[in-house]
Amino acid sequence: MNRIHYYIISALTALLTLNPSPAHAQKNKKKVKEPVLTEAEILLNAKVEEMTYATQKVVFVDSVVVDRQQLPALLKIPSEAGSFRPATDISATCQGMAFVNEMGNKAYLVNRDSMLCSSDLIDGQWTEPSMLEGLETLGEKTVFANPFVMADGTTLYFAAKSDEGIGGFDLYVTRYSADYNKFLNPELVGMPFSSTSNDILYIVDEYDRLAWFATDRNQPDGKVCIYTFVPTELRETYDASIDFEQLSSYARLDAISATWGDGTEREKALQRLQSAISRSEGEEKSSASRLSFVINDNMVYHSPSQFRAEGNASRFNSLCEMKSRISDITTRLDTDRTYYAKANESDRATLRQEILSLEAELEKLQQESNNLEKEIRNAENKETLR
């Protein structure tokens, strides 16, 4: 018997107990009636219990309570993870916070109809926001908020209020399928990131292996708590020997110190956090370290303006775009292969085709990149010898 059936049977038993036969009515009339759960409440309780048993084992580093209205101003995440800005900076037809990727050329935001959209920066102008396909499985009345896309460009986290959730706003995750040109069915992130309160934001900084999420659980009106935690590639749950009461405590985040263990991992995370803060305050990586091209043993270029051979500046820009695309594909392949291991059969079929397509594209790009490098280098060396 599964837990949902158990709850339904328990509720029916309670109904019989709370509605005694006439013969016993007088005897029981002084008894206080307990509230009768509706079918929806029964199913919700069953869902919450199932999710509690699957609570993820996570090390929470720190937490801070802030005014909810101050949340956008406080989200100073490392540039490698992207950035947040008012959605009205992108489009007057949108609201709330917009997330912009690291490259600064793609934004995710919510329109006035509370639908999740994306916009591209083309020739210095943001395109009209277009709705993201594949999220309609959450229902027509779903209200979306606070999107965040990981560095792979395909993994999307967002908050939504829908019939599929367990609280007010819940956190969801999905992935984009290039083959089907839409997102896969969104899934609840799960506990301890899910609750019957409003869980409104989930961010991952892969560069520093840090993450944050925000919730108003256990907070007074107008306040939210921002938790810093250590993200994991694979979902690990607690040992089956832990009793349900303790699991519930972990799921509710009663005490983040209970997740620290011997404190080693937390201490390392705090060091990474301090490094990220320092970097965001001015210690940005040099563009020269990111854009470099070896001409020969004695010469390295860092800017298109340094090239002398005709057409090499344009070729170098094309090469940088290729390298960026190769990096994106490599990251997506790593994510796809990790997700494939735990995906259902339907999603596996989609991922299998996507992985094959990405592998073919990667091989082609790598060959073209190698050829273009040789072309640039040979042309530049000839020019410098004149």
Side-chain angles (χ1 to χ4, degrees), residues 248-263:
S248 298
S249 180
Y250 286 132
R252 292 190 303 266
L253 291 176
D254 288 343
I256 64 171
S257 59
T259 71
W260 293 349
D262 62 5

Side-chain angles (χ1 to χ4, degrees), residues 8 15 82 166 174 180 183 198 216 221 290 293 339 345 378 386:
I8 293 174
L15 282 171
I166 62 171
T174 180
Y180 291 90
F183 285 88
N198 291 296
D216 69 2
D221 289 343
R290 290 186 282 119
F293 188 85
Y339 192 81
E345 284 302 318
N378 290 339
R386 288 181 180 181

Side-chain angles (χ1 to χ4, degrees), residues 1-7 50:
M1 178 187 300
N2 61 37
R3 293 190 178 89
I4 292 179
H5 289 159
Y6 170 79
Y7 270 103
E50 288 291 337

Side-chain angles (χ1 to χ4, degrees), residues 281-293:
E281 290 176 347
E283 297 180 4
E284 296 187 0
K285 293 182 290 185
S286 167
S287 60
S289 67
R290 290 186 282 119
L291 297 177
S292 61
F293 188 85

Side-chain angles (χ1 to χ4, degrees), residues 113-151:
D113 294 326
S114 298
M115 302 304 296
L116 207 51
C117 303
S118 67
S119 177
D120 296 293
L121 185 64
I122 300 177
D123 295 330
Q125 297 292 325
W126 289 103
T127 61
E128 187 68 22
S130 58
M131 284 177 49
L132 301 183
E133 301 293 332
L135 308 182
E136 59 276 1
T137 56
L138 292 180
E140 295 181 357
K141 297 181 180 180
T142 300
V143 177
F144 293 90
N146 305 335
F148 170 80
V149 176
M150 290 181 62

Side-chain angles (χ1 to χ4, degrees), residues 18-35:
L18 293 172
N19 292 278
S21 62
H24 296 84
Q26 290 297 321
K27 184 182 296 184
N28 296 330
K29 70 177 181 179
K30 293 184 179 181
K31 291 184 178 180
V32 178
K33 289 187 177 182
E34 296 181 3

Side-chain angles (χ1 to χ4, degrees), residues 69-363:
Q69 291 183 343
Q70 292 181 326
L71 185 60
L74 295 172
L75 290 175
K76 299 187 181 301
I77 62 176
S79 60
E80 293 85 1
S83 63
F84 288 92
R85 67 179 67 174
T88 50
D89 287 357
I90 310 297
S91 171
T93 65
C94 292
Q95 58 188 354
M97 292 190 303
F99 170 75
V100 180
N101 65 357
E102 178 191 2
M103 301 296 291
N105 59 3
K106 195 172 189 69
Y108 297 84
L109 61 175
V110 176
N111 65 19
R112 288 175 180 169
D113 294 326
S114 298
M115 302 304 296
L116 207 51
C117 303
S118 67
S119 177
D120 296 293
L121 185 64
I122 300 177
D123 295 330
Q125 297 292 325
W126 289 103
T127 61
E128 187 68 22
S130 58
M131 284 177 49
L132 301 183
E133 301 293 332
L135 308 182
E136 59 276 1
T137 56
L138 292 180
E140 295 181 357
K141 297 181 180 180
T142 300
V143 177
F144 293 90
N146 305 335
F148 170 80
V149 176
M150 290 181 62
D152 60 12
T154 63
T155 305
L156 167 67
Y157 289 93
F158 60 89
K161 185 183 294 185
S162 79
D163 293 337
E164 298 296 317
I166 62 171
F169 278 93
D170 296 279
L171 293 170
Y172 290 86
V173 61
T174 180
R175 296 192 63 260
Y176 180 75
S177 169
D179 290 329
Y180 291 90
N181 196 30
K182 67 176 185 178
F183 285 88
L184 303 175
N185 290 341
E187 297 180 350
L188 285 166
V189 175
M191 294 180 178
F193 308 106
S194 295
S195 72
T196 54
S197 299
N198 291 296
D199 307 302
I200 59 174
L201 186 65
Y202 190 103
I203 302 169
V204 179
D205 168 20
E206 293 181 288
Y207 184 86
D208 297 292
R209 207 162 76 85
L210 294 167
W212 298 266
F213 96 100
T215 176
D216 69 2
R217 69 181 74 173
N218 304 318
Q219 301 303 321
D221 289 343
K223 298 286 187 178
V224 294
C225 185
I226 303 174
Y227 290 89
T228 305
F229 65 97
V230 180
T232 57
E233 291 187 7
L234 297 177
R235 183 184 180 89
E236 180 184 358
T237 57
Y238 286 95
D239 189 273
S241 62
I242 297 179
D243 61 39
F244 187 75
E245 184 177 347
Q246 182 62 56
L247 275 176
S248 298
S249 180
Y250 286 132
R252 292 190 303 266
L253 291 176
D254 288 343
I256 64 171
S257 59
T259 71
W260 293 349
D262 62 5
T264 301
E265 188 168 5
R266 177 177 182 262
E267 185 60 34
K268 292 179 179 178
L270 285 171
Q271 293 174 6
R272 296 196 303 274
L273 179 60
Q274 185 56 52
S275 176
I277 292 172
S278 298
R279 191 171 67 252
S280 67
E281 290 176 347
E283 297 180 4
E284 296 187 0
K285 293 182 290 185
S286 167
S287 60
S289 67
R290 290 186 282 119
L291 297 177
S292 61
F293 188 85
V294 177
I295 302 300
N296 52 49
D297 292 341
N298 301 313
M299 193 179 300
V300 179
Y301 291 173
H302 301 297
S303 168
S305 62
Q306 293 179 275
F307 288 95
R308 304 177 187 177
E310 184 179 353
N312 261 2
S314 177
R315 294 187 190 99
F316 179 69
N317 283 330
S318 297
L319 179 64
C320 289
E321 291 177 1
M322 280 188 186
K323 294 289 188 182
S324 177
R325 178 60 179 161
I326 287 172
S327 177
D328 289 344
I329 292 176
T330 301
T331 302
R332 284 180 59 184
L333 278 171
D334 289 342
T335 304
D336 279 357
R337 288 163 179 157
T338 300
Y339 192 81
Y340 183 89
K342 56 183 180 181
N344 57 39
E345 284 302 318
S346 176
D347 285 351
R348 279 192 176 189
T350 301
L351 289 169
R352 188 180 299 114
Q353 184 59 45
E354 183 172 306
I355 289 171
L356 291 174
S357 297
L358 288 173
E359 287 176 339
E361 183 180 358
L362 180 61
E363 183 178 0

